[in-house]
Amino acid sequence: MDNPVEVLDKIVTLTNGRIGPSHLADEQEKGPMRITDVKVAEAPIGSRFSNAVIDFSRMTVSVIAVETDVVVAGERVVGYGFNSNGRYAQTGILTERVLPRLRDAASEVLVDPETGILDPVTARAVMMTNEKPGGHGDRAVAVGIVDMALWDAVAKATGRPLYQALHDRFNLVDKPAESVWVYAAGGYYYPDGTLGSLRDEIRSYLDLGYRDVKIKIGGASLASDLERIEGVLAILPDGCRLAVDANGRFDLPTALSYASALSAYDLLWYEEPCDPLDYLSHAVLAEEYPGRLATGENLFAVQEVRNLARHAGLRPHQDILQMDPSLSYGAAEYAEMLGCLCARGWQAARCCPHGGHLYNLAVAAAFGLGGCESYPRVFEPFGGFVDEQPIEDGRVRLANDLPGIGIEGKAALHDLVRRLFR
Ligand SMILES: [Mg+2]
């Protein structure tokens, strides 16, 4: 890990007890599940590497704790949420807009009327009150953080792992997957990086059980990037594949130059060649590049995905879509994205979310997605999966004995949230 996690001295208790009744008993009272408080904090996940567009030295993440009046096995149910790496902490939007709307909503409005359990789908609508269409960006991240925490709380309150709770709520596939394909996303640009250190890094991922890996491109010259690609391909065993990621850096001529050069290799995919909203450039590339294209991690709403499907010329039978549920309003929005895509000939198996953490893994299993990104050893402790579930032959099994997201099964993350919110 590049930076040991230090908790920032910036914890906001949003409600000071103003959500729900202030006279809660130790045990759950009869009536709907209630949110009793929401705490908001920031933590750094800075690293000393860069991709083609940003360096991660000042990257932060929001972490929230949604406290409820439900008690299970003597412990009050608390749902935790955080955002994927790559987008900064969202304290302002959370504390000034999104969470006050939850605070001001009657408890009865926020629950499933049949079960009395919190309903994150309804909560999303409440959080979006008085928000105009468009302009998703950071607002989608803030709502996604709360969505994660609410789903964690709901799953814990009902004694189910998150993937089961999501499956039961949305019913998109017959049954959730028991394991999910993951690939090791690394190969960043380090100030002192060499081809040797890149190869050592890739070897370490193979040793961890990954089969497929990804490295960055676009942060160096084409010649240098091709050297990196060939250096990695030379050490990959048969059957292991390499993807490359330009992080939206290129204009169309540069993207085409890279596409021409990359066509010489049997790559897993060519990711985010151009700006994520430049659909026409994607359409031109899709005509020219015979291999798989991947994009979508910087689309944050159904309408943006609909536009991509309409205008970007991507090929439903081969290309990959990487929208990140935790950055884009959460599970319900993601389910709507899948509905939009399926109506246009895509299958959920062609979706593989950015993010590399427990929540997106659960969504992938629950919704029948093709896989999930993973960042071995970086973005810890938010990145990665349950400690006791190693990567085996490029797949990770879902922990079926941990209610909720599974934070309690990831010691470093569990320790962090306990220190943040004690
Ligand atoms: Mg990417």
Side-chain angles (χ1 to χ4, degrees):
M1 194 185 323
D2 293 286
N3 282 352
V5 170
E6 299 172 1
V7 177
L8 287 180
D9 183 21
K10 189 172 185 178
I11 297 180
V12 179
T13 299
L14 173 75
T15 64
N16 295 320
R18 283 179 288 142
I19 279 185
S22 59
H23 56 280
L24 284 172
D26 287 340
E27 297 299 322
Q28 182 187 4
E29 298 175 351
K30 294 282 185 198
M33 180 179 182
R34 294 174 186 273
I35 298 170
T36 56
D37 199 359
V38 182
K39 295 188 172 79
V40 180
E42 291 183 13
I45 50 169
S47 297
R48 63 189 182 90
F49 52 64
S50 304
N51 64 30
V53 179
I54 66 169
D55 83 68
F56 288 79
S57 58
R58 295 179 181 271
M59 187 57 61
T60 56
V61 58
S62 280
V63 195
I64 72 168
V66 173
E67 299 178 0
T68 76
D69 65 345
V70 172
V71 175
V72 173
E75 285 206 33
R76 191 170 296 279
V77 168
V78 180
Y80 296 110
F82 55 87
N83 58 280
S84 293
N85 74 82
R87 296 279 157 182
Y88 296 90
Q90 302 295 331
T91 306
I93 298 177
L94 284 166
T95 59
E96 292 168 14
R97 285 155 49 195
V98 168
L99 289 172
R101 293 174 189 139
L102 277 189
R103 176 193 67 204
D104 294 341
S107 295
E108 292 75 13
V109 171
L110 297 176
V111 299
D112 179 325
E114 288 190 11
T115 64
I117 300 293
L118 282 168
D119 181 8
V121 180
T122 304
R124 178 185 63 150
V126 170
M127 289 188 278
M128 289 297 287
T129 306
N130 287 329
E131 295 285 337
K132 294 175 76 174
H136 301 289
D138 283 348
R139 179 181 74 191
V141 179
V143 172
I145 295 164
V146 183
D147 178 84
M148 184 190 298
L150 292 175
W151 275 113
D152 191 33
V154 166
K156 287 171 176 171
T158 53
R160 293 172 294 176
L162 176 62
Y163 68 85
Q164 189 66 55
L166 289 171
H167 175 267
D168 295 348
R169 178 66 172 80
F170 293 98
N171 268 311
L172 298 186
V173 291
D174 290 341
K175 62 176 185 177
E178 295 179 356
S179 69
V180 171
W181 172 76
V182 290
Y183 67 97
Y188 289 87
Y189 296 101
Y190 290 83
D192 52 355
T194 64
L195 189 56
S197 62
L198 175 63
R199 288 160 67 116
D200 289 344
E201 177 191 343
I202 299 301
R203 283 193 192 94
S204 75
Y205 299 153
L206 300 174
D207 290 343
L208 287 172
Y210 293 92
R211 299 280 295 159
D212 304 308
V213 299
K214 186 171 78 182
I215 66 171
K216 298 301 183 184
I217 58 171
S221 67
L222 175 57
S224 174
D225 279 339
L226 295 181
E227 189 179 16
R228 285 160 52 83
I229 289 169
E230 291 179 7
V232 171
L233 286 173
I235 62 167
L236 286 185
D238 285 348
C240 295
R241 298 167 296 179
L242 171 65
V244 296
D245 184 1
N247 288 94
R249 169 75 183 270
F250 301 147
D251 58 15
L252 182 56
T254 310
L256 287 167
S257 295
Y258 265 79
S260 176
L262 296 178
S263 298
Y265 310 102
D266 185 18
L267 296 176
L268 179 55
W269 65 61
Y270 175 18
E271 178 172 327
E272 276 207 308
C274 301
D275 186 285
L277 297 178
D278 184 351
Y279 304 127
L280 182 57
S281 286
H282 285 84
V284 174
L285 268 175
E287 293 265 323
E288 298 293 326
Y289 182 63
R292 285 195 192 104
L293 294 170
T295 191
E297 71 179 65
N298 290 302
L299 302 182
F300 300 126
V302 171
Q303 184 57 50
E304 294 179 345
V305 172
R306 183 177 292 117
N307 281 343
L308 183 82
R310 282 174 175 164
H311 305 300
L314 297 180
R315 301 150 294 189
H317 61 283
Q318 77 170 51
D319 292 324
I320 302 295
L321 301 179
Q322 302 169 304
M323 293 76 67
D324 181 331
S326 80
L327 297 180
S328 51
Y329 297 115
E333 186 88 9
Y334 197 88
E336 288 185 30
M337 290 177 183
L338 290 177
C340 166
L341 290 168
C342 289
R344 291 182 168 271
W346 291 80
Q347 294 183 331
R350 303 233 67 85
C351 293
C352 183
H354 164 272
H357 50 66
L358 289 161
Y359 177 80
N360 286 357
L361 183 75
V363 172
F367 291 174
L369 307 185
C372 182
E373 191 168 17
S374 178
Y375 310 100
R377 301 194 185 96
V378 297
F379 304 128
E380 288 284 357
F382 299 98
F385 312 118
V386 169
D387 295 334
E388 303 303 316
Q389 299 287 3
I391 311 300
E392 293 179 333
D393 201 22
R395 302 185 71 85
V396 60
R397 294 186 66 79
L398 277 292
N400 58 14
D401 56 350
L402 278 172
I405 296 174
I407 286 174
E408 291 74 8
K410 193 174 191 321
L413 182 54
H414 193 204
D415 179 62
L416 175 68
V417 296
R418 283 186 298 191
R419 283 192 287 131
L420 277 173
F421 300 120
R422 65 189 169 201

